[in-house]
Amino acid sequence: MISKETFEDKYSSMPPKRRQVLEAVVAGKTDKEIKDKVLGVDNNNTVRKHISNLYKDFGIEADGYNCRWELVKIVNTYKPELVADKVLEKYELPSSLPRADQEIYIERPPIEARCYQEIVKPGALIRIKAPQGMGKSLLIRKIIAHGAKQGYGQVYLNMDGLDFTNLDRFLKSFCLQVGKKLKLPNQLQTYWDDSFFSSVDNCTTYFEEYLLDSVESPLLLCLHDLDRVFQYQEIAEGFLPLLRSWHESGKFDDSWKKLRLVVAHATEIYIDLDLNKSPFNVGLPIDLLEFDAQQVKRFAESYGLMLSVDSVSQLMAMVGGHPYLLSQAFDYLKNHQEVENTLDTLLAEAPKESGIYRSHLYLLLTSIEDHPQLVEAVNLLVSKPNPVRLDAKITRKLESMGLVERHGNDCSLRCNLYRQYFSDRIFAKREQGVGSRE
């Protein structure tokens, strides 16, 4: 099997359509669904060509049925949140969630204790907000593991796997996905009445009278990447108040007391929503911050690395306490001797496309270059040594990408790695363009 570094490199740099096909395959979509709904083409050969290229990307020999199994196995190893339970069952692979206990996890006291205390309360709602790569998935898995010890039912749902065609199809797919993970049959025909009730009413009925009634113990429902909903006004205006109403019902209704909600998102909601209907001003808010120096040292030790205080300081001067960026560095260092010398080289190359962060940086760059407003914002951030004030929507977008951190109403680039890289790739390029016009 390919290494984690190779997987990350291939996954982050592959063409968008091919990545969509990969994610659709491991989400359990059929070739016809991929052809019609993902690619929007008429020819099955287009799907087969993308899948064939995926085999080549990940070094899989094309030998029929086993190829899909190998592809799912690789994704389940390095990006398990993408793989649907039904796909794991089909190929007889272990669920990704129990494996969380074996992953490297650095505690951020008192966050974990607060979550464990909250989740045992009837009708609980925990809101986890953090940019990409900050450890939302691992914290969710810790909460799920704690819920399992209490005997709770558990459902982990990545919102990206739902149908966003319209509110009705979204809520139906939401109900079906939760039901499938609870191993319950589809009962939409029984509980969904389009003649007299709205989709929101029907969804509530399906949960209250069927899903929650079918489980004896409390149900821990974890919704990851809730940001996906923010992109669809109609769906957000229906679904988000629905979560709020379920949480409020849990204060007095025995059925809804059984539901314990955990939602994770990368940024604040950026659509208009009545404060009295928003789920983002109730429940327990959890903001995942970067690691401090002691946590970074423990993180390194979990990789078998004994870094000096000076080495930790040097590394944090480049990438801060960002869990994902640190994990990439530690993954690299643990496979090389003379760590201190290797760290010097790693840091020198880090902001360059010859360094270990090349795929990560290039992916950020391409995401920014698609939007002129983001390019202008990053140019401004690079050119100013102090935090600056950007348009609120731009700040939220950059924050969700993990590029900036807030300072009140202002923001700055999250770490020196980003400042150096974008100074060379965007700011210097712009300055050269200005000079040539003059």
Side-chain angles (χ1 to χ4, degrees):
M1 184 184 293
I2 62 173
S3 67
K4 180 180 179 180
E5 184 177 356
T6 301
F7 174 84
E8 292 285 355
D9 183 55
K10 294 290 186 181
Y11 179 79
S12 62
S13 61
M14 69 175 52
K17 287 291 185 183
R18 193 182 307 170
R19 187 185 305 128
Q20 290 174 5
V21 172
L22 172 64
E23 293 175 354
V25 168
V26 299
K29 295 189 182 300
T30 65
D31 285 8
K32 185 178 186 304
E33 289 174 323
I34 296 173
K35 175 177 71 72
D36 296 339
K37 298 180 180 180
V38 178
L39 296 176
V41 296
D42 298 324
N43 197 327
N44 282 324
N45 288 334
T46 304
V47 179
R48 297 191 189 102
K49 183 178 180 180
H50 278 294
I51 293 176
S52 176
N53 285 329
L54 286 169
Y55 294 155
K56 293 176 183 177
D57 286 340
F58 298 127
I60 300 172
E61 291 187 20
D63 62 351
Y65 177 83
N66 285 335
C67 295
R68 298 273 176 116
W69 177 85
E70 285 287 342
L71 191 60
V72 172
K73 183 180 178 181
I74 289 171
V75 178
N76 190 48
T77 299
Y78 299 121
K79 211 165 183 62
E81 65 272 17
L82 297 179
V83 186
D85 285 350
K86 65 181 179 181
V87 177
L88 296 175
E89 293 169 5
K90 177 180 179 180
Y91 294 110
E92 298 182 351
L93 291 168
S95 173
S96 60
L97 291 177
R99 197 175 64 243
D101 290 334
Q102 302 169 14
E103 295 186 72
I104 296 171
Y105 183 82
I106 304 300
E107 290 197 348
R108 295 171 163 113
I111 284 176
E112 293 80 9
R114 294 181 66 197
C115 289
Y116 299 158
Q117 291 167 3
E118 189 70 18
I119 208 63
V120 299
K121 297 177 182 178
L125 169 61
I126 298 176
R127 298 180 282 111
I128 304 172
K129 183 174 81 71
Q132 298 173 10
M134 290 294 288
K136 296 189 296 294
S137 296
L138 285 178
L139 177 58
I140 288 176
R141 292 172 190 176
K142 287 293 180 181
I143 297 171
I144 287 176
H146 184 76
K149 292 178 182 177
Q150 316 304 313
Y152 295 173
Q154 308 128 42
V155 170
Y156 175 92
L157 192 63
N158 192 312
M159 305 303 289
D160 199 43
L162 301 179
D163 187 336
F164 286 85
T165 304
N166 55 50
L167 179 61
D168 186 67
R169 291 183 65 87
F170 173 84
L171 292 177
K172 284 179 178 177
S173 67
F174 175 64
C175 289
L176 289 178
Q177 287 291 339
V178 174
K180 283 183 179 181
K181 289 178 181 292
L182 292 172
K183 302 189 184 306
L184 295 172
N186 176 1
Q187 292 290 335
L188 286 181
Q189 288 188 339
T190 303
Y191 293 94
W192 210 274
D193 185 351
D194 292 321
S195 302
F196 298 100
F197 299 101
S198 69
S199 298
V200 169
D201 292 331
N202 284 324
C203 184
T204 296
T205 299
Y206 197 83
F207 260 78
E208 182 176 6
E209 298 184 12
Y210 178 48
L211 297 180
L212 292 175
D213 192 55
S214 298
V215 295
E216 295 183 2
S217 61
L219 172 61
L220 177 53
L221 176 58
C222 302
L223 307 180
H224 197 267
D225 283 342
L226 194 61
D227 307 71
R228 187 82 164 82
V229 175
F230 301 169
Q231 303 171 36
Y232 302 89
Q233 185 81 21
E234 179 207 10
I235 293 173
E237 289 179 349
F239 184 63
L240 297 177
L242 182 64
L243 297 180
R244 165 71 177 260
S245 70
W246 290 355
H247 168 65
E248 297 291 352
S249 296
K251 295 177 181 178
F252 58 85
D253 188 293
D254 288 341
S255 293
W256 291 103
K257 285 180 180 179
K258 294 167 69 175
L259 183 64
R260 318 295 164 88
L261 279 169
V262 178
V263 299
H265 53 110
T267 186
E268 302 290 353
I269 183 173
Y270 46 81
I271 64 169
D272 293 330
L273 197 63
D274 187 335
L275 289 177
N276 294 318
K277 296 181 179 180
S278 171
F280 298 104
N281 54 12
V282 293
L284 175 67
I286 297 292
D287 285 326
L288 290 184
L289 304 178
E290 292 191 352
F291 292 152
D292 60 27
Q294 288 299 316
Q295 290 168 328
V296 172
K297 193 171 188 306
R298 289 202 299 273
F299 198 15
E301 289 170 355
S302 67
Y303 279 82
L305 300 170
M306 302 303 295
L307 297 185
S308 66
V309 173
D310 186 53
S311 293
V312 170
S313 297
Q314 289 181 54
L315 183 56
M316 293 186 71
M318 178 61 72
V319 301
H322 193 290
Y324 172 75
L325 298 178
L326 289 167
S327 70
Q328 297 300 293
F330 296 153
D331 246 350
Y332 179 81
L333 292 172
K334 76 176 182 180
N335 294 317
H336 293 78
Q337 297 179 345
E338 299 182 6
V339 168
E340 304 295 338
N341 292 335
T342 305
L343 179 61
D344 291 338
T345 303
L346 183 155
L347 293 174
E349 296 295 315
K352 304 175 184 178
E353 288 172 2
S354 55
I356 66 169
Y357 298 115
R358 56 189 175 277
S359 298
H360 173 70
L361 294 171
Y362 182 72
L363 184 61
L364 288 174
L365 177 65
T366 54
S367 299
I368 291 169
E369 287 183 330
D370 288 340
H371 305 280
Q373 288 181 309
L374 297 185
V375 173
E376 289 300 315
V378 172
N379 264 319
L380 181 60
L381 290 166
V382 167
S383 67
K384 303 292 184 181
N386 298 317
V388 299
R389 187 161 303 180
L390 303 174
D391 176 81
K393 290 184 178 180
I394 297 296
T395 300
R396 286 169 178 164
K397 178 64 176 175
L398 294 175
E399 186 183 26
S400 70
M401 296 168 66
L403 261 176
V404 302
E405 58 182 355
R406 291 177 182 263
H407 308 272
N409 290 328
D410 301 335
C411 68
S412 64
L413 289 170
R414 179 168 289 277
C415 60
N416 199 30
L417 174 72
Y418 296 155
R419 178 170 291 277
Q420 290 188 36
Y421 178 75
F422 289 112
S423 178
D424 178 70
R425 297 296 295 175
I426 290 183
F427 185 71
K429 182 178 178 181
R430 182 188 181 191
E431 290 296 294
Q432 290 171 2
V434 172
S436 64
R437 287 196 299 274
E438 293 175 348

